[in-house]
């Protein structure tokens, strides 16, 4: 058995831990051979691969990013993309493919398996934690930890100057990072894509905190929208999966707060800091287990499946089911933490 491995979409802490788990168990217990495809789906599309053995994965457990590189290449939009992938897999004598990625990467894997017969196993990766069918995705815990530390640090400078600090975190469609880091960091308002926010209400919360001689922190996800507005975009360009580039809602909100309350407001955009650096212990643990169970799925011939965390167990679910809809923050959960706003 010869198995290909790729990492697609945005980079994420824990990707290397998955690769290590797959290769170590696959070589040591099943005597499989491995190749790594470079830069996500670009690799199999262009036949760009490298050998992956135990020596290649030594020492990569604590490293962020991915030794294979990543990209947002969409082979379904490339000229004759499916035929090229199938031909390149056959040429390299690759029997199965493990695709590590989020909604877009796994969506391609689902179609390749269901419609074109490519033997794929999926591993869920996204710092946004928005893939359904799994309780957690690796990368999320690290991102929350980074955002929480930033909020902790910003409290002291906000108090020193008695100004509002707006912290913009990642979260295109789901506010999990904002919710978890905002609550853990003691934010005075948390704004998420699932619930349109009222700017006047945010200003009321801000003003009430100043009355208590306390400088407020507002955490906002990049995809959050005001009740009477739309997404704030970095520019109008689209990636190969049709996504716009988000960024700027934090700066927009800070200006609105300053204009409406007269209080000085500043913005910190965490951006790619949230996906970089060393993965947390939990993400290393989860990513490693995903890798071990992914290669077991290959051994069992259980293709078209994604490994997922349910409680403390790793289970297998159809990739198509996992990517059919996003896992978003429920209104009840968001309402639950509203007691800390203002």
């Amino acid at each position: 058995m010869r198995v290909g491995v790729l990492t697609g979409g945005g980079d994420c802490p824990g990707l290397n831990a998955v690769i290590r788990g797959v290769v170590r168990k696959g070589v040591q217990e099943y005597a499989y051979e491995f190749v790594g495809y470079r830069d996500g789906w670009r690799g199999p599309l262009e036949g760009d691969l490298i050998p992956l053995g135990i020596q290649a994965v030594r020492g990569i457990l604590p490293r962020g990013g991915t030794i294979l590189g990543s990209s947002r290449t969409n082979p379904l939009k490339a000229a004759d993309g499916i035929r090229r992938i199938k031909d390149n897999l056959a040429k390299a004598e690759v029997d199965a493919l493990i695709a590590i990625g989020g909604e877009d990467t796994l969506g391609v894997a689902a179609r390749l398996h269901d419609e074109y017969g490519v033997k794929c196993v999926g591993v869920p990766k996204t710092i946004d934690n928005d893939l359904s069918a799994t309780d957690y995705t690796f990368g999320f815990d690290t991102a929350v930890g980074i955002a929480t530390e930033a909020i902790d640090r910003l409290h002291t400078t906000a108090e020193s100057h008695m100004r509002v600090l707006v912290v913009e975190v990642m979260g295109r469609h789901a506010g999990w990072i904002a919710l978890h880091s905002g609550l853990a960091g003691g934010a005075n308002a948390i704004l998420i894509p699932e619930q349109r926010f009222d700017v006047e209400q945010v200003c009321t919360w801000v003003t009430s905190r100043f009355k208590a001689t306390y400088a407020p922190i507002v955490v906002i996800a990049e995809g959050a929208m005001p009740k009477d507005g739309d997404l704030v975009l970095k520019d109008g360009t689209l990636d190969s999966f049709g996504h716009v580039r988000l960024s700027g809602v934090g700066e927009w909100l800070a200006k609105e707060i300053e204009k409406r309350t007269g209080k000085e407001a500043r913005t910190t955009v965490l951006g790619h800091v949230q996906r970089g650096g060393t993965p947390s212990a939990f993400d290393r643990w989860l990513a490693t287990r995903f890798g071990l169970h992914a290669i077991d799925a290959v051994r069992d011939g259980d293709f078209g499946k994604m490994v997922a965390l349910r409680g403390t167990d790793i289970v297998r679910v159809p990739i198509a089911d996992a990517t059919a809809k996003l896992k978003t923050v429920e209104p009840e959960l968001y309402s639950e933490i509203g007691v800390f706003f203002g």
Side-chain angles (χ1 to χ4, degrees), residues 1-3 22 25-34 95-98 119-121 290-305 307 316:
M1 174 74 78
R2 198 168 201 223
V3 182
V22 165
K25 188 168 188 177
V27 171
Q28 292 175 199
E29 296 199 10
Y30 306 139
Y32 290 168
E33 291 182 42
F34 291 90
D95 303 294
L97 195 60
I98 295 177
K119 296 177 179 178
C120 293
V121 169
F290 277 162
L292 298 176
H293 283 262
I295 197 60
D296 283 347
V298 171
R299 177 204 57 184
D300 296 342
D302 198 6
F303 299 111
K305 298 292 181 63
V307 292
R316 300 173 193 167

Side-chain angles (χ1 to χ4, degrees), residues 31-169:
Y32 290 168
E33 291 182 42
F34 291 90
V35 296
Y37 282 103
R38 293 182 183 274
D39 304 333
W41 287 112
R42 187 193 68 79
L45 191 64
E46 300 180 5
D48 188 0
L49 54 80
I50 58 172
L52 270 184
I54 288 182
Q55 190 59 38
V57 301
R58 290 196 188 282
I60 68 172
L61 176 64
R63 286 176 57 183
T66 164
I67 62 170
L68 297 178
S70 192
S71 74
R72 297 192 183 278
T73 301
N74 184 352
L76 301 177
K77 290 192 174 180
D80 212 10
I82 301 301
R83 183 196 60 78
R84 289 163 60 189
I85 285 179
K86 295 185 75 170
D87 286 351
N88 285 327
L89 291 176
K91 188 185 300 182
E93 299 181 327
V94 170
D95 303 294
L97 195 60
I98 295 177
I100 311 166
E103 174 196 8
D104 297 324
T105 300
L106 295 181
V108 171
R111 288 195 60 187
L112 285 175
H113 175 268
D114 296 346
E115 299 177 26
Y116 303 102
V118 178
K119 296 177 179 178
C120 293
V121 169
V123 177
K125 168 242 59 164
T126 169
I127 67 168
D128 288 346
N129 197 40
D130 60 359
L131 275 176
S132 60
T134 185
D135 290 349
Y136 286 99
T137 54
F138 68 88
F140 171 67
D141 184 72
T142 303
V144 168
I146 292 169
T148 301
E149 182 182 358
I151 295 166
D152 286 345
R153 291 175 179 273
L154 290 169
H155 272 295
T156 58
T157 187
E159 292 164 9
S160 296
H161 295 275
M162 288 305 289
R163 61 166 60 124
V164 186
L165 279 179
V166 178
V167 185
E168 183 183 307
V169 300

Side-chain angles (χ1 to χ4, degrees), residues 159-272:
E159 292 164 9
S160 296
H161 295 275
M162 288 305 289
R163 61 166 60 124
V164 186
L165 279 179
V166 178
V167 185
E168 183 183 307
V169 300
M170 285 185 169
R172 176 179 294 273
H173 301 296
W176 294 109
I177 295 176
L179 192 76
H180 282 240
S181 65
L183 182 62
N188 307 111
I190 301 170
L191 310 176
I192 62 176
E194 294 88 340
Q195 300 279 337
R196 284 182 175 261
F197 62 89
D198 183 339
V199 179
E200 281 300 325
Q201 177 63 71
V202 175
C203 290
T204 299
W205 290 330
V206 164
T207 302
S208 72
R209 298 311 292 167
F210 277 115
K211 288 179 179 177
T213 64
Y214 187 88
I217 299 282
V218 178
V219 175
I220 184 169
E222 62 185 351
M225 291 184 286
K227 285 184 176 179
D228 55 353
D230 295 310
L231 282 171
V232 177
L233 307 180
K234 190 176 186 67
D235 55 50
T237 59
L238 303 177
D239 66 18
S240 62
F241 289 95
H243 299 310
V244 293
R245 296 176 65 192
L246 299 180
S247 184
V249 68
E251 185 65 29
W252 177 87
L253 180 61
K255 289 178 180 177
E256 288 294 316
I257 290 173
E258 200 165 80
K259 181 173 66 177
R260 299 182 189 213
T261 67
K263 301 294 185 180
E264 188 179 9
R266 293 289 185 271
T267 309
T268 297
V269 181
L270 296 184
H272 287 80

